[in-house]
Amino acid sequence: LPGSLNRARVSLSRFKGGDLSKKRVFTGAGEKILDLVAGYKDVTDLIGGVHLASAFFAPRNGEVKATALAGAKPKLVKLYKEAVLDATQGQDGRKAPPQLLAAFAVALKMLDHDDLAVLVPDMVHVCRRTPDLALAPLAASVLLLSADTSRYVDQLSPVVCERITTDKFRADCLAVVRALAVQSTDTSVLVELGQGLLKVLQGKGTQGQLKNWQERQGALEGLP
């Protein structure tokens, strides 16, 4: 996309001006770019930098060599955590823009269950602390995964059930539910999530209640 290319050019320009440009970096170039991008604070620079680095790890003919990811994946996971999750915290916390999440699309598709075992607890944590900033990016991130999210539904469900009772969080909570429904193959865990939401709709939820029919109708209309 033109916008993505422009952001990549901004990052590439910064890369060319750095020490790395003076070396003939071929092997591990993507990792070295990630090290450079990790120091970026400006969101536009982050978007371009992640796009640029991801180009070194994008699948070729549908396959990614494990050796190419050995050193890169931990850095990609760390960068996602810092740029998307940790950035929601504190007085200057911000929501990750869609363009930044799109830049991480290649990285998110590469994540396996070992990676997600590290990330999901952090996702839950930030969604509890700053739901207004974290819930929508969570839904968008889930849709970008290639891994089955069935095993994480039970960790994410309490956050959804807690926040769905609040008007300003309801649409984002429902977006998370829809994303999990798309990315999960185990219908039994989705049934459990549905039962938890039903209790909330009936005013019996331990995490909260929807107290009038307008709220309940709105939530029901949003369910997948």
Side-chain angles (χ1 to χ4, degrees):
L1 296 176
S4 298
L5 291 175
N6 287 338
R7 284 186 287 272
R9 289 190 187 103
V10 169
S11 183
L12 183 58
S13 176
R14 191 173 278 205
F15 171 70
K16 287 180 177 178
D19 291 338
L20 292 178
S21 66
K22 300 173 183 177
K23 304 175 183 177
R24 298 186 65 188
V25 179
F26 296 98
T27 303
E31 291 181 46
K32 295 179 186 297
I33 293 173
L34 280 174
D35 290 337
L36 187 66
V37 174
Y40 290 179
K41 301 300 181 184
D42 181 79
V43 174
T44 301
D45 287 343
L46 276 170
I47 292 169
V50 175
H51 272 298
L52 184 63
S54 295
F56 287 84
F57 308 109
R60 300 290 188 269
N61 299 320
E63 296 183 359
V64 179
K65 292 184 178 180
T67 52
L69 292 179
K73 275 179 66 174
K75 294 181 180 182
L76 284 166
V77 171
K78 184 174 184 290
L79 185 57
Y80 173 88
K81 181 179 181 299
E82 293 173 350
V84 177
L85 303 182
D86 295 349
T88 64
Q89 306 299 291
Q91 187 175 0
D92 299 322
R94 59 156 175 79
K95 179 190 290 188
Q99 298 90 336
L100 180 58
L101 295 170
F104 277 106
V106 171
L108 288 168
K109 287 187 183 303
M110 294 177 181
L111 300 185
D112 57 26
H113 291 300
D114 290 336
D115 303 315
L116 291 172
V118 175
L119 275 180
V120 170
D122 291 325
M123 291 175 170
V124 172
H125 176 72
V126 298
C127 284
R128 282 206 162 104
R129 287 179 59 89
T130 52
D132 53 325
L133 302 179
L135 282 169
L138 170 62
S141 295
V142 169
L143 287 173
L144 291 171
L145 297 172
S146 59
D148 189 329
T149 58
S150 301
R151 67 176 68 181
Y152 311 108
V153 172
D154 62 339
Q155 296 180 58
L156 296 168
S157 294
V159 178
V160 173
C161 291
E162 288 166 10
R163 300 302 183 181
I164 200 171
T165 60
T166 304
D167 287 345
K168 66 178 181 178
F169 302 143
R170 191 165 303 132
D172 289 342
C173 285
L174 292 169
V176 173
V177 173
R178 289 192 291 270
L180 290 172
V182 170
Q183 294 297 116
S184 301
T185 59
D186 185 348
T187 56
S188 65
V189 296
L190 296 174
V191 169
E192 291 178 9
L193 172 57
Q195 289 173 341
L197 290 172
L198 182 60
K199 289 180 180 179
V200 174
L201 293 173
Q202 293 174 334
K204 300 177 182 178
T206 57
Q207 288 96 359
Q209 301 177 358
L210 295 177
K211 297 181 180 179
N212 59 60
W213 70 267
Q214 293 97 331
E215 292 179 338
R216 294 172 187 172
Q217 181 179 5
L220 282 170
E221 288 175 351
L223 289 175

